[in-house]
Amino acid sequence: MRFQSVVARRLSEDRYSAFARDVIEGLTARPKRLSPKYFYDETGSRLFEEITALPEYYPTRCELAILGAHAPEMARLFPAQTALIEFGSGSSKKARLMLDAAPSIAAYVPVDISSKWLAEEAARLRRDYARLAVLPVAADFTESFQLPRSIATLGRAGFFPGSTIGNFEPHQARAFLQHAAGILGEDAILIVGIDLVKDEGTLTAAYNDAAGVTARFNLNLLARANRELGADFDLAKFSHQAFYNRERARIEMHLVSRSRQKTSVCGRMIELGECETIHTENSYKFTVESFGTLARGAGWTPVAAWSDADGYFSVQALRAAK
Ligand code: SAH
Ligand code: AVI
Protein backbone atom coordinates (compact mmCIF):
# COMPACT_ATOMS: atom_id res chain seq x y z
CA MET A 1 0.00 0.00 0.00
CA ARG A 2 2.82 2.39 0.98
CA PHE A 3 4.61 1.48 -2.24
CA GLN A 4 1.45 2.13 -4.29
CA SER A 5 0.98 5.60 -2.85
CA VAL A 6 4.61 6.54 -3.62
CA VAL A 7 4.12 5.33 -7.21
CA ALA A 8 0.85 7.26 -7.52
CA ARG A 9 2.48 10.44 -6.18
CA ARG A 10 5.42 10.14 -8.55
CA LEU A 11 3.05 9.61 -11.48
CA SER A 12 1.07 12.72 -10.59
CA GLU A 13 4.29 14.80 -10.14
CA ASP A 14 5.48 13.67 -13.60
CA ARG A 15 2.09 14.56 -15.05
CA TYR A 16 2.28 17.97 -13.35
CA SER A 17 5.55 18.90 -15.00
CA ALA A 18 4.51 17.43 -18.38
CA PHE A 19 1.26 19.41 -18.11
CA ALA A 20 3.14 22.66 -17.29
CA ARG A 21 5.56 22.10 -20.18
CA ASP A 22 2.82 21.26 -22.68
CA VAL A 23 0.60 24.19 -21.63
CA ILE A 24 3.43 26.68 -22.04
CA GLU A 25 4.55 25.13 -25.33
CA GLY A 26 1.00 24.96 -26.71
CA LEU A 27 0.01 28.48 -25.68
CA THR A 28 3.12 30.10 -27.08
CA ALA A 29 2.72 28.26 -30.42
CA ARG A 30 0.82 29.65 -33.40
CA PRO A 31 -1.96 28.67 -33.70
CA LYS A 32 -2.36 28.01 -29.96
CA ARG A 33 -3.19 24.43 -28.98
CA LEU A 34 -3.59 22.13 -25.97
CA SER A 35 -3.67 18.34 -26.02
CA PRO A 36 -7.09 16.75 -25.37
CA LYS A 37 -5.48 14.24 -23.02
CA TYR A 38 -5.41 17.04 -20.42
CA PHE A 39 -9.23 17.23 -20.35
CA TYR A 40 -9.20 14.22 -18.07
CA ASP A 41 -8.57 15.11 -14.47
CA GLU A 42 -11.30 14.02 -12.05
CA THR A 43 -13.58 16.94 -13.05
CA GLY A 44 -13.00 16.24 -16.75
CA SER A 45 -13.78 12.54 -16.35
CA ARG A 46 -17.01 13.41 -14.54
CA LEU A 47 -17.97 15.93 -17.25
CA PHE A 48 -17.23 13.36 -19.96
CA GLU A 49 -19.58 10.94 -18.20
CA GLU A 50 -22.26 13.68 -18.26
CA ILE A 51 -21.63 14.15 -21.99
CA THR A 52 -22.24 10.46 -22.65
CA ALA A 53 -25.78 10.82 -21.26
CA LEU A 54 -26.70 13.93 -23.31
CA PRO A 55 -29.49 13.57 -25.89
CA GLU A 56 -27.24 15.12 -28.59
CA TYR A 57 -24.22 12.86 -27.90
CA TYR A 58 -25.20 9.78 -29.92
CA PRO A 59 -21.80 7.91 -29.98
CA THR A 60 -22.07 6.32 -26.53
CA ARG A 61 -25.69 5.23 -27.01
CA CYS A 62 -24.93 3.75 -30.43
CA GLU A 63 -21.84 1.90 -29.28
CA LEU A 64 -23.58 0.53 -26.18
CA ALA A 65 -26.36 -0.76 -28.46
CA ILE A 66 -23.82 -2.44 -30.78
CA LEU A 67 -21.99 -4.05 -27.87
CA GLY A 68 -25.28 -5.07 -26.24
CA ALA A 69 -26.25 -6.93 -29.41
CA HIS A 70 -22.87 -8.30 -30.54
CA ALA A 71 -20.48 -8.65 -27.57
CA PRO A 72 -20.85 -12.47 -27.57
CA GLU A 73 -19.69 -12.62 -31.23
CA MET A 74 -16.72 -10.37 -30.38
CA ALA A 75 -15.90 -12.51 -27.37
CA ARG A 76 -15.74 -15.62 -29.56
CA LEU A 77 -12.68 -14.07 -31.25
CA PHE A 78 -10.79 -13.93 -27.93
CA PRO A 79 -8.35 -16.64 -26.87
CA ALA A 80 -9.37 -18.90 -23.96
CA GLN A 81 -8.21 -17.31 -20.67
CA THR A 82 -7.84 -13.72 -21.82
CA ALA A 83 -6.71 -10.49 -20.24
CA LEU A 84 -8.88 -7.70 -21.67
CA ILE A 85 -6.79 -4.53 -21.89
CA GLU A 86 -8.80 -1.35 -22.35
CA PHE A 87 -7.08 1.81 -23.57
CA GLY A 88 -8.79 4.84 -21.98
CA SER A 89 -11.32 2.98 -19.85
CA GLY A 90 -13.27 5.91 -18.33
CA SER A 91 -16.32 4.48 -16.56
CA SER A 92 -15.67 0.92 -17.92
CA LYS A 93 -19.37 0.77 -18.81
CA LYS A 94 -18.66 -0.80 -22.20
CA ALA A 95 -16.13 -3.21 -20.71
CA ARG A 96 -18.87 -4.47 -18.41
CA LEU A 97 -20.83 -5.58 -21.49
CA MET A 98 -17.76 -7.45 -22.73
CA LEU A 99 -17.17 -9.02 -19.31
CA ASP A 100 -20.79 -10.16 -19.10
CA ALA A 101 -20.55 -11.73 -22.57
CA ALA A 102 -17.11 -13.34 -22.30
CA PRO A 103 -16.47 -15.95 -19.62
CA SER A 104 -13.00 -16.33 -21.22
CA ILE A 105 -11.92 -13.01 -19.67
CA ALA A 106 -9.88 -13.84 -16.56
CA ALA A 107 -8.38 -10.39 -16.02
CA TYR A 108 -9.38 -6.85 -16.91
CA VAL A 109 -6.67 -4.20 -17.26
CA PRO A 110 -8.17 -0.71 -17.55
CA VAL A 111 -5.50 1.80 -18.64
CA ASP A 112 -6.30 5.46 -18.09
CA ILE A 113 -4.56 8.77 -17.49
CA SER A 114 -7.26 9.93 -15.04
CA SER A 115 -5.75 8.09 -12.07
CA LYS A 116 -8.22 8.89 -9.28
CA TRP A 117 -11.25 8.15 -11.45
CA LEU A 118 -9.57 4.92 -12.60
CA ALA A 119 -8.98 3.73 -9.01
CA GLU A 120 -12.61 4.39 -8.07
CA GLU A 121 -13.99 2.56 -11.11
CA ALA A 122 -11.64 -0.37 -10.44
CA ALA A 123 -12.96 -0.62 -6.87
CA ARG A 124 -16.54 -0.73 -8.18
CA LEU A 125 -15.62 -3.44 -10.70
CA ARG A 126 -13.95 -5.58 -8.01
CA ARG A 127 -17.14 -5.36 -5.99
CA ASP A 128 -19.33 -6.38 -8.95
CA TYR A 129 -17.05 -9.05 -10.50
CA ALA A 130 -15.68 -10.94 -7.52
CA ARG A 131 -13.89 -13.63 -9.55
CA LEU A 132 -12.25 -11.27 -12.03
CA ALA A 133 -8.71 -9.94 -11.55
CA VAL A 134 -9.12 -6.16 -11.97
CA LEU A 135 -5.66 -4.66 -12.54
CA PRO A 136 -5.80 -0.90 -13.25
CA VAL A 137 -2.81 0.84 -14.82
CA ALA A 138 -2.59 4.64 -14.47
CA ALA A 139 -0.60 5.65 -17.54
CA ASP A 140 -0.53 7.65 -20.73
CA PHE A 141 -1.40 4.96 -23.28
CA THR A 142 0.59 6.70 -26.03
CA GLU A 143 3.78 6.03 -24.08
CA SER A 144 5.34 2.75 -23.01
CA PHE A 145 3.96 1.35 -19.77
CA GLN A 146 4.24 -1.85 -17.77
CA LEU A 147 1.42 -4.38 -17.86
CA PRO A 148 0.78 -6.27 -14.61
CA ARG A 149 3.10 -9.29 -14.31
CA SER A 150 0.21 -11.52 -13.25
CA ILE A 151 -1.28 -11.53 -16.79
CA ALA A 152 1.90 -13.05 -18.29
CA THR A 153 0.31 -16.50 -18.75
CA LEU A 154 -2.96 -15.18 -20.25
CA GLY A 155 -3.87 -14.43 -23.85
CA ARG A 156 -4.50 -10.76 -24.64
CA ALA A 157 -7.34 -8.87 -26.26
CA GLY A 158 -7.37 -5.11 -26.68
CA PHE A 159 -10.41 -2.89 -26.30
CA PHE A 160 -10.42 0.70 -27.56
CA PRO A 161 -14.03 1.91 -27.65
CA GLY A 162 -15.52 5.42 -27.62
CA SER A 163 -13.87 6.52 -30.90
CA THR A 164 -11.02 7.75 -28.70
CA ILE A 165 -8.83 6.83 -31.70
CA GLY A 166 -10.52 9.78 -33.46
CA ASN A 167 -8.84 12.17 -31.03
CA PHE A 168 -5.46 11.37 -32.60
CA GLU A 169 -4.11 12.92 -35.77
CA PRO A 170 -4.07 10.24 -38.52
CA HIS A 171 -0.29 9.68 -38.14
CA GLN A 172 -0.72 9.38 -34.36
CA ALA A 173 -3.60 6.92 -34.80
CA ARG A 174 -1.36 4.77 -36.98
CA ALA A 175 1.49 4.97 -34.45
CA PHE A 176 -0.92 4.09 -31.65
CA LEU A 177 -2.21 1.02 -33.51
CA GLN A 178 1.39 -0.12 -34.02
CA HIS A 179 2.13 0.51 -30.34
CA ALA A 180 -0.99 -1.49 -29.37
CA ALA A 181 0.20 -4.38 -31.57
CA GLY A 182 3.44 -4.41 -29.61
CA ILE A 183 1.58 -4.43 -26.29
CA LEU A 184 -0.93 -7.10 -27.29
CA GLY A 185 1.47 -9.43 -29.11
CA GLU A 186 1.22 -11.75 -32.08
CA ASP A 187 -2.18 -12.83 -33.37
CA ALA A 188 -3.97 -10.54 -30.88
CA ILE A 189 -7.48 -9.20 -31.37
CA LEU A 190 -8.24 -5.50 -30.93
CA ILE A 191 -11.83 -4.27 -30.73
CA VAL A 192 -12.04 -0.59 -31.75
CA GLY A 193 -15.01 1.78 -31.75
CA ILE A 194 -15.12 4.43 -34.49
CA ASP A 195 -17.54 7.27 -35.08
CA LEU A 196 -18.74 7.36 -38.69
CA VAL A 197 -19.04 10.32 -41.07
CA LYS A 198 -22.67 11.47 -41.17
CA ASP A 199 -24.77 14.59 -41.73
CA GLU A 200 -23.21 17.77 -40.41
CA GLY A 201 -26.20 18.72 -38.24
CA THR A 202 -26.01 15.55 -36.17
CA LEU A 203 -22.24 15.86 -35.83
CA THR A 204 -22.15 19.49 -34.73
CA ALA A 205 -25.10 19.10 -32.33
CA ALA A 206 -23.20 16.35 -30.49
CA TYR A 207 -20.46 18.85 -29.61
CA ASN A 208 -22.74 21.86 -28.99
CA ASP A 209 -25.27 20.48 -26.51
CA ALA A 210 -28.05 22.72 -25.27
CA ALA A 211 -27.15 22.14 -21.61
CA GLY A 212 -23.61 23.43 -22.14
CA VAL A 213 -21.85 20.37 -20.71
CA THR A 214 -19.40 20.11 -23.63
CA ALA A 215 -18.57 23.80 -23.15
CA ARG A 216 -17.77 23.13 -19.48
CA PHE A 217 -15.69 20.10 -20.49
CA ASN A 218 -13.73 22.27 -22.93
CA LEU A 219 -13.26 25.10 -20.41
CA ASN A 220 -12.08 22.59 -17.80
CA LEU A 221 -8.70 22.63 -19.55
CA LEU A 222 -8.19 26.22 -18.41
CA ALA A 223 -9.80 25.58 -15.02
CA ARG A 224 -7.37 22.68 -14.57
CA ALA A 225 -4.40 24.92 -15.46
CA ASN A 226 -5.67 27.37 -12.81
CA ARG A 227 -5.98 24.57 -10.21
CA GLU A 228 -2.76 22.72 -10.94
CA LEU A 229 -0.39 25.33 -12.35
CA GLY A 230 -1.58 28.44 -10.52
CA ALA A 231 -2.54 30.01 -13.88
CA ASP A 232 -4.99 32.91 -13.83
CA PHE A 233 -7.33 32.25 -16.75
CA ASP A 234 -10.63 34.11 -16.42
CA LEU A 235 -13.03 31.49 -17.84
CA ALA A 236 -15.67 34.15 -18.56
CA LYS A 237 -13.30 35.60 -21.16
CA PHE A 238 -13.42 32.42 -23.30
CA SER A 239 -16.18 30.77 -25.27
CA HIS A 240 -16.59 27.20 -26.49
CA GLN A 241 -16.54 26.59 -30.24
CA ALA A 242 -17.09 23.28 -32.04
CA PHE A 243 -17.61 22.85 -35.79
CA TYR A 244 -17.25 20.21 -38.46
CA ASN A 245 -14.27 20.51 -40.77
CA ARG A 246 -15.66 18.58 -43.73
CA GLU A 247 -12.43 18.54 -45.71
CA ARG A 248 -10.61 16.77 -42.89
CA ALA A 249 -13.66 14.81 -41.63
CA ARG A 250 -13.23 16.03 -38.08
CA ILE A 251 -15.01 17.98 -35.40
CA GLU A 252 -12.71 20.70 -34.12
CA MET A 253 -13.07 22.13 -30.64
CA HIS A 254 -11.55 25.48 -29.74
CA LEU A 255 -11.64 27.97 -26.90
CA VAL A 256 -12.11 31.47 -28.31
CA SER A 257 -10.73 34.50 -26.52
CA ARG A 258 -13.58 37.01 -26.20
CA SER A 259 -11.19 39.96 -25.92
CA ARG A 260 -7.52 40.87 -26.06
CA GLN A 261 -6.05 39.52 -22.84
CA LYS A 262 -2.91 38.56 -20.99
CA THR A 263 -2.61 35.73 -18.55
CA SER A 264 0.22 34.14 -16.62
CA VAL A 265 1.11 30.43 -16.48
CA CYS A 266 4.04 29.32 -14.28
CA GLY A 267 5.54 32.79 -14.51
CA ARG A 268 5.19 32.95 -18.33
CA MET A 269 3.04 35.70 -19.83
CA ILE A 270 0.58 34.39 -22.43
CA GLU A 271 -1.10 36.90 -24.73
CA LEU A 272 -4.31 36.26 -26.63
CA GLY A 273 -5.83 38.50 -29.26
CA GLU A 274 -9.58 39.12 -29.56
CA CYS A 275 -11.12 36.05 -31.31
CA GLU A 276 -7.80 34.16 -31.15
CA THR A 277 -8.46 30.48 -30.51
CA ILE A 278 -6.83 27.67 -28.57
CA HIS A 279 -7.35 24.43 -30.52
CA THR A 280 -8.22 21.86 -27.87
CA GLU A 281 -9.47 18.75 -29.68
CA ASN A 282 -10.02 17.05 -33.00
CA SER A 283 -12.52 14.24 -33.22
CA TYR A 284 -11.98 12.48 -36.54
CA LYS A 285 -14.88 10.67 -38.17
CA PHE A 286 -14.28 7.62 -40.36
CA THR A 287 -15.88 5.48 -43.01
CA VAL A 288 -15.53 1.72 -42.69
CA GLU A 289 -13.17 1.93 -45.69
CA SER A 290 -11.04 4.82 -44.39
CA PHE A 291 -10.61 3.05 -41.06
CA GLY A 292 -9.75 -0.23 -42.81
CA THR A 293 -6.99 1.56 -44.72
CA LEU A 294 -5.65 3.09 -41.50
CA ALA A 295 -5.70 -0.26 -39.69
CA ARG A 296 -4.01 -2.16 -42.55
CA GLY A 297 -1.33 0.53 -42.76
CA ALA A 298 -0.57 -0.13 -39.08
CA GLY A 299 -0.27 -3.91 -39.48
CA TRP A 300 -3.81 -4.95 -38.49
CA THR A 301 -6.35 -6.88 -40.55
CA PRO A 302 -10.05 -6.02 -40.12
CA VAL A 303 -11.87 -9.31 -39.51
CA ALA A 304 -15.40 -8.20 -38.59
CA ALA A 305 -17.45 -5.01 -38.20
CA TRP A 306 -20.76 -4.20 -36.55
CA SER A 307 -22.89 -1.08 -36.79
CA ASP A 308 -26.05 0.39 -35.23
CA ALA A 309 -29.36 0.65 -37.11
CA ASP A 310 -28.69 4.28 -38.17
CA GLY A 311 -25.17 3.54 -39.37
CA TYR A 312 -23.82 6.23 -37.00
CA PHE A 313 -21.10 4.20 -35.28
CA SER A 314 -19.03 1.11 -36.01
CA VAL A 315 -17.21 -1.41 -33.85
CA GLN A 316 -14.38 -3.17 -35.67
CA ALA A 317 -12.49 -6.33 -34.79
CA LEU A 318 -8.87 -6.27 -35.95
CA ARG A 319 -6.35 -9.09 -35.89
CA ALA A 320 -2.62 -8.41 -35.69
CA ALA A 321 -0.99 -9.41 -38.97
CA LYS A 322 1.71 -12.07 -38.53
N1 SAH B 1 -13.62 4.01 -23.09
C1 SAH B 1 -14.58 4.89 -22.46
C2 SAH B 1 -14.03 6.30 -22.20
C3 SAH B 1 -13.74 7.11 -23.44
S1 SAH B 1 -13.28 8.78 -23.02
C4 SAH B 1 -15.81 4.97 -23.31
O1 SAH B 1 -15.79 4.51 -24.45
O2 SAH B 1 -16.82 5.53 -22.85
C5 SAH B 1 -11.55 8.72 -23.28
C6 SAH B 1 -10.82 8.10 -22.08
O3 SAH B 1 -9.45 7.98 -22.42
C7 SAH B 1 -10.90 8.93 -20.80
O4 SAH B 1 -11.22 8.13 -19.72
C8 SAH B 1 -9.50 9.54 -20.68
O5 SAH B 1 -9.11 9.74 -19.33
C9 SAH B 1 -8.65 8.50 -21.38
N2 SAH B 1 -7.48 9.06 -22.04
C10 SAH B 1 -7.42 10.09 -22.92
N3 SAH B 1 -6.16 10.26 -23.36
C11 SAH B 1 -5.40 9.33 -22.72
C12 SAH B 1 -4.02 8.99 -22.76
N4 SAH B 1 -3.15 9.65 -23.53
N5 SAH B 1 -3.59 7.95 -21.99
C13 SAH B 1 -4.46 7.26 -21.19
N6 SAH B 1 -5.77 7.54 -21.12
C14 SAH B 1 -6.24 8.56 -21.87
C1 AVI C 1 -13.33 10.66 -25.95
N1 AVI C 1 -13.64 11.27 -27.25
C2 AVI C 1 -13.78 10.24 -28.28
C3 AVI C 1 -14.75 12.22 -27.21
C4 AVI C 1 -15.09 12.69 -28.65
O1 AVI C 1 -16.26 12.62 -29.02
O2 AVI C 1 -14.17 13.08 -29.36
C5 AVI C 1 -14.43 13.40 -26.35
C6 AVI C 1 -15.44 14.50 -26.44
N2 AVI C 1 -15.16 15.73 -26.75
C7 AVI C 1 -16.28 16.44 -26.75
N3 AVI C 1 -17.28 15.65 -26.46
C8 AVI C 1 -16.78 14.40 -26.25
Side-chain angles (χ1 to χ4, degrees), residues 207-265:
Y207 295 82
N208 288 285
D209 60 286
V213 185
T214 310
R216 289 206 291 284
F217 176 71
N218 200 3
L219 285 161
N220 181 52
L221 266 175
L222 302 184
R224 181 178 181 186
N226 287 349
R227 283 192 295 274
E228 294 184 20
L229 308 178
D232 62 354
F233 289 107
D234 178 353
L235 270 53
K237 290 189 178 160
F238 291 88
S239 48
H240 164 73
Q241 184 187 52
F243 59 88
Y244 188 55
N245 179 335
R246 181 182 292 279
E247 214 170 279
R248 306 185 83 164
R250 69 188 194 196
I251 289 282
E252 291 187 16
M253 285 209 320
H254 297 258
L255 289 165
V256 186
S257 174
R258 290 178 189 264
S259 58
R260 207 167 149 197
Q261 53 178 311
K262 281 186 184 163
T263 122
S264 143
V265 183

Side-chain angles (χ1 to χ4, degrees), residues 54-253:
L54 291 168
E56 296 94 337
Y57 196 75
Y58 61 85
T60 307
R61 264 193 313 284
C62 293
E63 193 174 26
L64 283 171
I66 298 168
L67 295 173
H70 300 289
E73 288 162 61
M74 298 174 197
R76 279 199 282 279
L77 298 168
F78 296 169
Q81 293 296 296
T82 306
L84 183 72
I85 299 162
E86 179 168 1
F87 301 100
S89 48
S91 69
S92 293
K93 208 179 267 172
K94 294 166 189 168
R96 283 173 181 260
L97 292 177
M98 299 303 292
L99 296 171
D100 294 341
S104 59
I105 300 174
Y108 172 56
V109 183
V111 181
D112 208 289
I113 203 164
S114 189
S115 52
K116 193 150 182 259
W117 187 269
L118 173 72
E120 285 165 12
E121 291 302 335
R124 265 191 274 279
L125 279 162
R126 281 193 193 104
R127 243 188 354 248
D128 296 345
Y129 294 84
R131 269 181 297 220
L132 180 74
V134 179
L135 306 164
V137 175
D140 181 335
F141 55 47
T142 61
E143 292 171 9
S144 72
F145 58 87
Q146 287 288 314
L147 284 173
R149 282 214 196 107
S150 55
I151 67 164
T153 56
L154 300 175
R156 288 176 193 178
F159 191 40
F160 196 29
S163 202
T164 304
I165 195 163
N167 295 136
F168 291 131
E169 287 302 313
H171 71 279
Q172 294 170 327
R174 198 179 120 121
F176 176 81
L177 288 173
Q178 288 166 336
H179 173 56
I183 292 168
L184 298 171
E186 241 179 48
D187 213 27
I189 287 288
L190 175 62
I191 306 288
V192 189
I194 53 166
D195 194 11
L196 297 175
V197 171
K198 60 187 64 62
D199 71 278
E200 201 163 324
T202 304
L203 285 168
T204 52
Y207 295 82
N208 288 285
D209 60 286
V213 185
T214 310
R216 289 206 291 284
F217 176 71
N218 200 3
L219 285 161
N220 181 52
L221 266 175
L222 302 184
R224 181 178 181 186
N226 287 349
R227 283 192 295 274
E228 294 184 20
L229 308 178
D232 62 354
F233 289 107
D234 178 353
L235 270 53
K237 290 189 178 160
F238 291 88
S239 48
H240 164 73
Q241 184 187 52
F243 59 88
Y244 188 55
N245 179 335
R246 181 182 292 279
E247 214 170 279
R248 306 185 83 164
R250 69 188 194 196
I251 289 282
E252 291 187 16
M253 285 209 320

